[in-house]
Amino acid sequence: MMCYSDFPMPDHFPNFVNNSKLMQYFRLYAEHFNLLKHIHFQTTVRSVRQRPDFSNSGQWEVVTMGRDGREETHVFDGVLVCAGHYTQPIKPLSDFPGIDTFPGTIIHSWEYKDPDPYLGKRVVVVGIGNSGGDIAVELSRACEKIFLSTRKGAWVIGRVVDRGLPLDMMMVRRVRDLIYGLLPRALLNLIWERILNQGYDHKLYGLQPVYRILDHYIVINDDLPGRILLGELVIKSNVQKIQGSTIVFDDGTVEEKIDAVILCTGYDYRFPFLPTSLSPGSNGDLKLYRRIFPPSLERPTLAILGLFQTKGSIMPAVELQARWATRVIAGLNQLPPAEKMDKAIEKDVQANLKSFPCPKLAALQVDYIPYLDAIAKEVGVSPNIASLLLTDPALGLRVFFGPCSPYQFRLNGPGHWSGARQAILTQWDRVAKPMKTRPIPEHPSFSLFFWLGLSGGAALIIALLAMHMVPLFLNSD
């Protein structure tokens, strides 16, 4: 679900890869497409500025610094900024009165590497996003005690769902999006909250959030409930104040002898190398059409990729962004007038303000499959479901009812990949392959006896019913 659309991950890779495996995949991809010769590693971008003739050429002057510290100036026809929105860790120290009296260590999750420095210590993790949940779970196996402080709570779901299958393969589907669009949001919230609470009562576990399940991001964590149940991890309310090594929480409870605080308080984004005219506001916000193009540019030769948040894998979406951006820069696609782009941006922000009151955060939100399809339509690679169902039913059914995997956007149009159809038809084989590590013999005789027994049992029940029903009919007069 997170691979590039024309290069499936090796079928022996696990379904959820760690950072090392992902790095290995990137290397395989770069080698396969012979990209390494084009990449300058360990190079810092100092500045990106429009050339004096930008209105005619659309070119950019880029100043870089290499590993030897020397600066160089280059001229490029197009620039793609792919730094994402995890560039600036947010450390809201002023939100915690008395933090200057704390004698222990205070770090952001961005600085966290492994649990070794915290062995046998008492640690407070602030924030219950995915990073906060993962760090708290890992530390609960090494610390004397771990406290996970949350202001709003969170809905939590594991990566493994029905029949032990991967969450994203089961959830990210076109048919599911269609059904969700037809049902009232209140009903969907009720259904999903009930499903999650059947796994474990979020109120009982201290996780119950202040928001409805569809109004925010769900925390994905397999182990959090188990660690709470074992007492190794304790959920706490928001930190009210710090008094030396003692931390007071909003509910009045106190935890003493705290050795470390880890802030899982999110990130901001900053691109100091870009012209300030692109982000004139005090908060550094970037107005982007479809979360890619700054409408203020005379020539659309600069694009921002990966600056969004969504409930799905970011890599296929960024790949589609890149495919569209390069076509726009090359003059193969045209953007609407700036005024129309501004209106579209404002409409998107307003739609998200209820769930994300901060406009800068609201602007980052996109709905996964609709966003993929919108960008794919611009590129000319959106799958025609109706046509597929008529001309290739086996493929069409998998595209509509199955996982919305990246290969769907290589079935036709620019960049068509001849292997896309087969990749879709065999995607479940790649799910199963890494788990087939122990041969389990088939027992056809068991299957035969099972069905014979089931048939015989059904026949016996029918016979017994008949025996009871005949006298009933006979006596009915």
Side-chain angles (χ1 to χ4, degrees):
M1 294 296 284
M2 70 180 297
C3 69
Y4 292 121
S5 58
D6 52 358
F7 194 74
M9 285 204 182
D11 59 4
H12 65 278
F13 273 30
N15 284 281
F16 293 105
V17 295
N18 61 19
N19 54 352
S20 301
K21 285 290 185 187
L22 184 57
M23 193 68 228
Q24 188 179 342
Y25 172 74
F26 287 151
R27 291 194 178 103
L28 291 170
Y29 182 90
E31 290 166 6
H32 178 80
F33 291 103
N34 199 23
L35 301 179
L36 293 173
K37 64 182 181 182
H38 301 293
I39 302 173
H40 293 256
F41 292 101
Q42 297 183 17
T43 301
T44 301
V45 175
R46 307 288 292 188
S47 68
V48 176
R49 297 290 182 268
Q50 294 146 309
R51 298 201 76 205
D53 63 344
F54 180 80
S55 57
N56 293 320
S57 68
Q59 291 181 326
W60 297 85
E61 191 172 272
V62 179
V63 177
T64 63
M65 185 176 69
R67 68 184 74 184
D68 57 1
R70 288 191 306 168
E71 288 192 351
E72 290 186 58
T73 301
H74 317 260
V75 175
F76 288 100
D77 297 311
V79 173
L80 305 180
V81 179
C82 310
H85 57 89
Y86 297 113
T87 58
Q88 302 291 325
I90 297 174
K91 297 179 76 171
L93 301 181
S94 60
D95 289 356
F96 309 110
I99 198 165
D100 54 322
T101 68
F102 184 67
T105 59
I106 302 173
I107 67 165
H108 190 274
S109 58
W110 184 77
E111 305 167 76
Y112 177 88
K113 298 300 179 186
D114 59 69
D116 293 349
Y118 306 96
L119 187 64
K121 295 186 177 181
R122 293 167 60 84
V123 178
V124 171
V125 174
V126 179
I128 197 176
N130 284 316
S131 295
D134 287 344
I135 290 172
V137 164
E138 183 170 74
L139 287 179
S140 70
R141 296 184 172 93
C143 292
E144 176 191 321
K145 204 74 170 181
I146 183 80
F147 304 96
L148 179 54
S149 168
T150 172
R151 186 177 54 198
K152 295 182 178 180
W155 294 104
V156 182
I157 190 170
R159 287 173 292 189
V160 182
V161 290
D162 303 340
R163 293 176 293 140
L165 297 173
L167 172 70
D168 52 352
M169 293 282 283
M170 299 300 291
M171 298 294 293
V172 184
R173 300 181 176 218
R174 295 178 179 279
V175 65
R176 187 179 291 272
D177 262 28
L178 177 63
I179 294 170
Y180 279 19
L182 297 174
L183 294 176
R185 191 176 181 87
L187 177 61
L188 290 171
N189 276 319
L190 189 66
I191 291 170
W192 272 109
E193 287 170 9
R194 183 175 179 83
I195 289 172
L196 262 62
N197 278 325
Q198 282 179 340
Y200 45 88
D201 188 331
H202 280 59
K203 185 175 182 180
L204 178 65
Y205 279 68
L207 295 167
Q208 181 81 41
V210 297
Y211 52 84
R212 303 304 300 271
I213 193 167
L214 297 181
D215 291 342
H216 216 281
Y217 289 99
I218 299 175
V219 172
I220 299 175
N221 196 299
D222 298 302
D223 303 323
L224 189 60
R227 304 312 295 174
I228 295 172
L229 204 58
L230 287 168
E232 304 292 342
L233 189 157
V234 179
I235 301 294
K236 304 292 290 187
S237 60
N238 192 44
V239 173
Q240 184 186 93
K241 60 182 176 179
I242 298 174
Q243 299 171 328
S245 61
T246 298
I247 294 185
V248 181
F249 298 91
D250 278 350
D251 59 1
T253 59
V254 174
E255 296 297 341
E256 300 177 335
K257 298 179 180 178
I258 300 300
D259 301 294
V261 173
I262 301 176
L263 301 174
C264 301
T265 43
Y267 295 81
D268 198 358
Y269 61 86
R270 291 281 188 276
F271 306 114
F273 50 85
L274 291 180
T276 54
S277 58
L278 294 180
S279 51
S282 59
N283 62 354
D285 188 18
L286 277 171
K287 288 181 64 177
L288 299 173
Y289 176 63
R290 297 286 179 85
R291 298 309 309 156
I292 303 173
F293 299 102
S296 58
L297 288 176
E298 290 179 80
R299 300 286 298 274
T301 54
L302 179 140
I304 313 292
L305 307 188
L307 192 61
F308 62 89
Q309 289 183 323
T310 188
K311 295 176 182 177
S313 176
I314 195 170
M315 282 167 54
V318 173
E319 183 190 12
L320 277 170
Q321 286 185 326
R323 293 170 72 182
W324 185 26
T326 48
R327 290 181 63 82
V328 170
I329 291 170
L332 299 173
N333 285 57
Q334 303 298 318
L335 295 180
E339 183 180 349
K340 189 173 180 180
M341 290 193 283
D342 284 332
K343 288 181 179 178
I345 293 169
E346 183 60 27
K347 182 181 177 182
D348 290 341
V349 171
Q350 291 299 323
N352 293 321
L353 280 176
K354 181 180 177 182
S355 298
F356 301 89
C358 170
K360 187 174 182 179
L361 193 58
L364 294 176
Q365 314 308 314
V366 298
D367 291 328
Y368 190 61
I369 294 180
Y371 184 73
L372 293 180
D373 282 341
I375 305 301
K377 186 177 179 181
E378 298 287 353
V379 182
V381 296
S382 184
N384 187 327
I385 309 293
S387 176
L388 285 174
L389 289 170
L390 290 172
T391 60
D392 191 345
L395 179 63
L397 289 169
R398 285 169 173 81
V399 169
F400 183 65
F401 290 99
C404 185
S405 48
Y407 323 116
Q408 296 186 11
F409 303 103
R410 291 285 179 180
L411 290 169
N412 55 64
H416 163 75
W417 175 45
S418 60
R421 181 182 187 276
Q422 186 63 16
I424 293 171
L425 296 179
T426 58
Q427 57 194 357
W428 284 108
D429 296 336
R430 286 190 295 282
V431 171
K433 175 69 181 291
M435 295 189 284
K436 291 185 174 179
T437 55
R438 171 178 168 249
I440 300 177
E442 300 267 344
H443 292 289
S445 57
F446 167 78
S447 180
L448 178 62
F449 284 129
F450 173 78
W451 288 110
L452 285 173
L454 189 63
S455 302
L460 179 62
I461 291 171
I462 292 170
L464 289 171
L465 286 172
M467 290 170 62
H468 284 86
M469 292 294 288
V470 170
L472 180 63
F473 285 124
L474 292 174
N475 297 329
S476 61
D477 290 341

